[in-house]
Amino acid sequence: MKFLLVHGSWHDGDAFSAVADKLRAQSHDVYTPTIAGHGKGADKAVNHADCTASIVRYIRDNDLDDFVLLGHSYGGTIISKVVEQVADRVRRLVFWNAFVLNDGESLLDAVPPHYREMFTSLAKSSPDNTVSMPFPVWREAFVNDADLETARATYALLSPEPFQPFADKLDLKGFYEIVKGGRVPCSYINATEDAALPQGPDFGWHPRMSNRLGLFRLVQVSGSHELLFTAPDVLAEAIIRAGRD
Amino acid sequence: MKFLLVHGSWHDGDAFSAVADKLRAQSHDVYTPTIAGHGKGADKAVNHADCTASIVRYIRDNDLDDFVLLGHSYGGTIISKVVEQVADRVRRLVFWNAFVLNDGESLLDAVPPHYREMFTSLAKSSPDNTVSMPFPVWREAFVNDADLETARATYALLSPEPFQPFADKLDLKGFYEIVKGGRVPCSYINATEDAALPQGPDFGWHPRMSNRLGLFRLVQVSGSHELLFTAPDVLAEAIIRAGRD
Amino acid sequence: MKFLLVHGSWHDGDAFSAVADKLRAQSHDVYTPTIAGHGKGADKAVNHADCTASIVRYIRDNDLDDFVLLGHSYGGTIISKVVEQVADRVRRLVFWNAFVLNDGESLLDAVPPHYREMFTSLAKSSPDNTVSMPFPVWREAFVNDADLETARATYALLSPEPFQPFADKLDLKGFYEIVKGGRVPCSYINATEDAALPQGPDFGWHPRMSNRLGLFRLVQVSGSHELLFTAPDVLAEAIIRAGRD
């Protein structure tokens, strides 16, 4: 199979390197671009459309076709907009603890109030309208399955997240036509210890986000929001089960 | 132990054959009747009372006593009515991702609107008031833990489901007297990746259905709605843990 | 690490002995006091403040410092009040399928009506205002992962629970200042087959109780409410992952 993996906030494409190695060891092709405005040293002055455009451009530049398009976390908002432009190239969409926004929503609309306030306030106090991940949030809510050493080592890989894409309201009519019409099938990978969003019906990933897809394939595994760091082998197997026909 | 396993919609008793083999290998007695109106070649003109009567008849004809009565999915509605007639013969009820309807409800009342519409419309367009399982629903929502080959092979075992039993409203006062009065103890087996009903408080199997039993024993295992095909050993162990005193 | 483990209702400190052995085998220090009014032969005429005071006294008498304070079930209400008096000595709070009450609530306020009625009625009909655990509730809802022999053997270890601490309304303003202010970090261990409280958003342990902590670390494992009896090795590993920095 061919996989295009789209990372989440604070990450860049290299965050997938251990997972990509596991997938390549099973003879799969793996692409891990970095979204515009993401990664260390990048110009963070981007909006959501810029982020989407950068992945669409990557797909066209590499002439990728017949691939599984996966989005992690914030990356779910990106693949939702990307597929609108390249639906014929996508074999399946895979959301991995990822946002599936309602039409017209922003990511900020979908997170609990305490995150909305924290992101907004951190962006305002930053020099470049970005949100830096506070270490205690990373350690307790994102890599809760890691030891402290791993928590620190992976924290060092993060970079500030542009705030504007969180605030942009997304027109998702085209996305929902594609997935509800069965034009591109969907899977949702849920890690059962992911508490990056508070679990439960009000703010959790699954089934709140996943059920918006209509018919979809559920794959569940143990672990935190950051399986790509804490258990790349588990994540790679989940991606294969989610991505196959 | 002695087990009577009642299958769900689109299935027949043979669907349990791998599970029955696993149970028999551990010296348990296993009975796997086919519900009236079910299976290939059967006369599909049955209502819910006919289905119930066929299992009660099977129990009496075989003079079964002191057995664990398990129902899968739609089979939960059958064992709820069967136990009203043979409570003294039943050692324990086991619901495996099965409907536990409220008194006066039909199965159609308990499923999400998109299933209600799909079942009704498929039945209307059928020659014999039956519902055929669409392959994409089977593959994504029922055997989400299988590979495509297994999905196809098991799909070939299905047969159209009579619609009338889905629509029949069930008087379950006797059932609730039996289970709430503690006359027959209950267990609920929940497979955590079962998305045949959308997971979550509104339409999910567990805890929506299970909590209706009052005091019950919860057994959870990984897997889809179709563990009897995809992991019969896991299901057999769950049945033993659910069925023991 | 140093652990102080506070047991739940019907139990005493010895209930943790298998878990303590596992933790000590990994060079951790473990303390397992019995709450006032608990255990066989104890004077059951205690209120919640007496229970709290007995654990605070134990900590001071043993001059315990820099320890992980864990509470199981009802023990969650105890550690919430204990930490108000000894916050500087506590490295982390760990709630294991434990009550995290809202400010001003009693335990009775947080359980489903059928438990409230059962506890109240059992206390009234007891000679000493205590609640004895009914065996069917223990077997089906508390040790659902055990065989009957283990269910019986562990039932024999229980003793009647004083009712008054269930009814006492707790001032938890100090507790919430400590945990929401980040003064003492928190973890929540959830056993996924714990049905001692009915699972689901209305009455379940997690995420209903856990989300009240604000930022916390989630650790999940398979098993019932009584992992300390049914899988002490699994619980010990969960305690280590929950308790580490």
Side-chain angles (χ1 to χ4, degrees), chain C residues 1-4 66-70 91-94 243:
Chain C
M1 291 189 278
K2 202 185 297 179
F3 293 101
L4 175 63
D66 197 31
F67 61 89
V68 173
L69 177 58
L70 175 145
R91 192 172 181 93
R92 179 177 287 266
L93 288 170
V94 177

Side-chain angles (χ1 to χ4, degrees), chain C residues 48-49 51-53 55-56 59 69 74-87 93 95 99 101 103-105 168-176 178:
Chain C
H48 199 281
C51 294
T52 297
I55 301 301
V56 171
I59 291 166
L69 177 58
Y74 161 73
T77 72
I78 301 297
I79 66 170
S80 299
K81 289 302 293 177
V82 165
V83 75
E84 292 183 339
Q85 298 187 47
V86 296
L93 288 170
F95 293 82
F99 288 94
L101 298 180
D103 179 42
E105 275 186 346
D168 288 336
K169 307 270 187 187
L170 303 186
D171 179 337
L172 290 164
K173 288 180 201 71
F175 165 69
Y176 279 110
I178 290 166

Side-chain angles (χ1 to χ4, degrees), chain A residues 74-221:
Chain A
Y74 160 74
T77 72
I78 301 297
I79 67 171
S80 299
K81 289 301 294 176
V82 165
V83 76
E84 292 183 341
Q85 297 187 48
V86 295
D88 291 345
R89 295 171 178 259
V90 177
R91 192 172 181 93
R92 181 178 285 266
L93 287 170
V94 177
F95 294 83
W96 162 40
N97 287 95
F99 288 94
V100 181
L101 297 180
N102 291 313
D103 179 41
E105 276 186 346
S106 68
L107 183 144
L108 287 185
D109 292 332
V111 299
H114 69 272
Y115 271 146
R116 195 149 53 234
E117 287 155 25
M118 182 177 82
F119 294 163
T120 305
S121 128
L122 287 169
K124 275 194 181 138
S125 65
S126 76
D128 54 356
N129 201 30
T130 60
V131 177
S132 290
M133 168 66 70
F135 182 73
V137 175
W138 178 253
R139 198 280 160 275
E140 305 294 359
F142 280 67
V143 290
N144 42 311
D145 56 349
D147 60 18
L148 183 59
E149 191 182 5
T150 304
R152 285 185 176 140
T154 53
Y155 186 71
L157 302 173
L158 306 181
S159 62
E161 176 70 11
F163 177 75
Q164 187 57 43
F166 284 3
D168 288 336
K169 308 269 187 188
L170 303 186
D171 179 337
L172 290 164
K173 289 181 201 69
F175 165 69
Y176 279 110
E177 275 177 32
I178 290 166
V179 304
K180 295 290 179 80
R183 197 165 149 211
V184 179
C186 294
S187 297
Y188 201 98
I189 300 174
N190 182 54
T192 53
E193 282 72 47
D194 188 333
L197 287 182
Q199 296 193 347
D202 293 336
F203 292 112
W205 296 110
H206 170 74
R208 181 175 66 126
M209 295 287 172
S210 48
N211 279 344
R212 294 175 181 172
L213 297 170
L215 183 64
F216 72 98
R217 186 190 306 166
L218 174 65
V219 174
Q220 281 197 133
V221 289

Side-chain angles (χ1 to χ4, degrees), chain A residues 92 185 201 206-207 211 215-218 220 244-245, chain B residues 136 139-140 144-148 192-193 198-200:
Chain A
R92 181 178 285 266
H206 170 74
N211 279 344
L215 183 64
F216 72 98
R217 186 190 306 166
L218 174 65
Q220 281 197 133
R244 63 188 174 186
D245 285 345
Chain B
R139 199 279 162 274
E140 305 294 1
N144 42 312
D145 56 349
D147 61 18
L148 183 59
T192 53
E193 283 71 49
Q199 296 193 347

Side-chain angles (χ1 to χ4, degrees), chain B residues 146-163:
Chain B
D147 61 18
L148 183 59
E149 191 182 7
T150 303
R152 284 186 176 139
T154 53
Y155 186 71
L157 302 173
L158 306 181
S159 63
E161 176 70 11
F163 177 75

